[in-house]
Amino acid sequence: MSRYLIAVDLDGTLLRDDKTISERNLRALQAAREAGHEVMIATGRPKRHSIMYYEQMGLTTPLVNFNGALVHHPKDANYAVTHRPIPLKTAHDIIEEVADTKAHNIVVEVTDHVYFQKDPQEFYSPYAERALSVTSGNLLKHLQDEPTSLLIHATKDHVEHVRTQLDDIHAEAVLNRQWRMPEHMIEVMSKNTSKALGLQEVSKHLNIDRKHIIAFGDEENDLEMLDYVGTGVAMGNAIDQLKNVANEVTASNMDDGIALFLEERLGIKA
């Protein structure tokens, strides 16, 4: 059998709703590795919120964070890190446009350094967990480095307007995605960013052809990845748009969808 690269998204895909990995999924991914395949994580999360799963799975592959804006190798200091940040001027322009009237808060991340437009209340506190530094206040003043990610928690009345404005004014510099949870959260990233680009780098590093990549996802930020790989697998709980792009649809994140697919497709026993 050919050697495959298996790329898994975290939230809504590998992780159950309680943010844990099921024993069956763990066993299936370990069995795939023992059979000679490679396993990696491709997530929108930052390193600080994904490295615990990387360690739990015992991975030795590069890690794709921030939807491909950061590609690095936690186990290899010699791996050439890729960072695709948002231009600082663009970030400042966007912040200025939405900060006062159209957003509850804005969260900016420069790798694992976190900045808040307004002091983080309980709702936002998870973003600050394990951060290298946390700064609150006027982002136009404090943000002096190109951000890896910019999160806008838009008001209900302005979420569509903000996305339209981002598309109309800043489309040449950034992409934007809306999360299902938490509601009305808009993620802004560099135009030259996607999980697909991250996988392209990793597969080249591992010398695995794209037709031998199996990728699992559930959300809007997985579209490019599932479209790029040889076998794109949407979870049963995925958005319809992703299911339309995917080659296959498996069971949900709560029903061991990754394990079920790998057991059948690769003939492994978990």
Side-chain angles (χ1 to χ4, degrees):
M1 178 179 290
S2 299
R3 174 170 165 255
Y4 281 88
L5 172 60
I6 301 163
V8 295
D9 169 53
L10 289 178
D11 297 283
T13 300
L14 176 64
L15 302 185
R16 295 181 294 194
D17 292 349
D18 64 359
K19 305 305 179 185
T20 62
I21 305 173
S22 73
E23 286 299 323
R24 187 172 181 180
N25 276 341
L26 273 176
R27 290 196 304 268
L29 291 168
Q30 180 59 36
R33 294 179 64 210
E34 290 173 354
H37 305 296
E38 300 282 357
V39 175
M40 65 171 290
I41 292 171
T43 179
R45 288 181 177 224
K47 175 187 175 183
R48 66 187 185 278
H49 292 158
S50 55
I51 194 65
M52 67 286 287
Y53 301 113
Y54 182 98
E55 298 290 352
Q56 182 183 3
M57 296 161 69
L59 299 184
T60 57
T61 44
L63 176 58
V64 173
N65 289 121
F66 293 109
N67 299 312
L70 181 65
V71 184
H72 60 107
H73 199 315
K75 301 291 187 180
D76 185 357
N78 294 319
Y79 183 86
V81 176
T82 297
H83 187 211
R84 301 180 177 93
I86 300 167
L88 184 59
K89 184 181 185 307
T90 301
H92 279 186
D93 288 345
I94 293 170
I95 290 164
E96 192 168 22
E97 290 161 8
V98 304
D100 293 333
T101 60
K102 300 171 185 174
H104 297 295
N105 208 343
I106 301 172
V107 185
V108 180
E109 295 170 274
V110 181
T111 60
D112 280 312
H113 298 272
V114 184
Y115 300 79
F116 294 94
Q117 176 71 15
K118 301 173 184 176
D119 286 335
Q121 304 301 316
E122 183 176 351
F123 177 82
Y124 304 100
S125 59
Y127 297 101
E129 290 178 2
R130 304 183 187 91
L132 296 178
S133 67
V134 177
T135 305
S136 297
N138 185 346
L139 291 176
L140 298 178
K141 173 185 176 183
H142 294 301
L143 182 63
Q144 299 300 320
D145 295 302
E146 293 184 319
T148 313
S149 173
L150 194 158
L151 300 175
I152 301 168
H153 186 200
T155 62
K156 180 179 179 181
D157 293 339
H158 288 100
V159 61
E160 291 302 327
H161 174 75
V162 170
R163 291 202 72 183
T164 299
Q165 193 171 25
L166 288 168
D167 287 336
D168 290 347
I169 300 175
H170 301 291
E172 292 186 3
V174 298
L175 300 170
N176 73 89
R177 306 290 197 198
Q178 185 174 347
W179 296 357
R180 283 185 289 181
M181 292 295 293
E183 197 174 19
H184 310 316
M185 188 70 79
I186 302 168
E187 182 175 35
V188 183
M189 65 203 88
S190 168
K191 181 77 171 182
N192 301 312
T193 296
S194 72
K195 292 184 181 181
L197 287 173
L199 261 62
Q200 186 176 18
E201 290 183 32
V202 176
S203 62
K204 183 178 179 181
H205 172 74
L206 296 172
N207 195 29
I208 297 177
D209 190 273
R210 64 187 285 189
K211 68 182 180 182
H212 290 141
I213 305 175
I214 301 172
F216 296 87
D218 73 307
E219 274 282 11
E220 190 176 346
N221 63 346
D222 297 310
L223 283 166
E224 294 90 352
M225 177 171 72
L226 265 60
D227 186 53
Y228 171 77
V229 301
T231 306
V233 186
M235 307 303 293
N237 53 291
I239 60 173
D240 290 340
Q241 188 181 5
L242 193 69
K243 290 179 179 178
N244 293 334
V245 168
N247 303 106
E248 309 269 359
V249 177
T250 188
S252 76
N253 67 313
M254 296 297 291
D255 297 308
D256 298 317
I258 289 176
L260 289 169
F261 185 88
L262 294 178
E263 289 164 7
E264 179 181 350
R265 182 57 55 94
L266 300 182
I268 60 173
K269 294 183 180 180

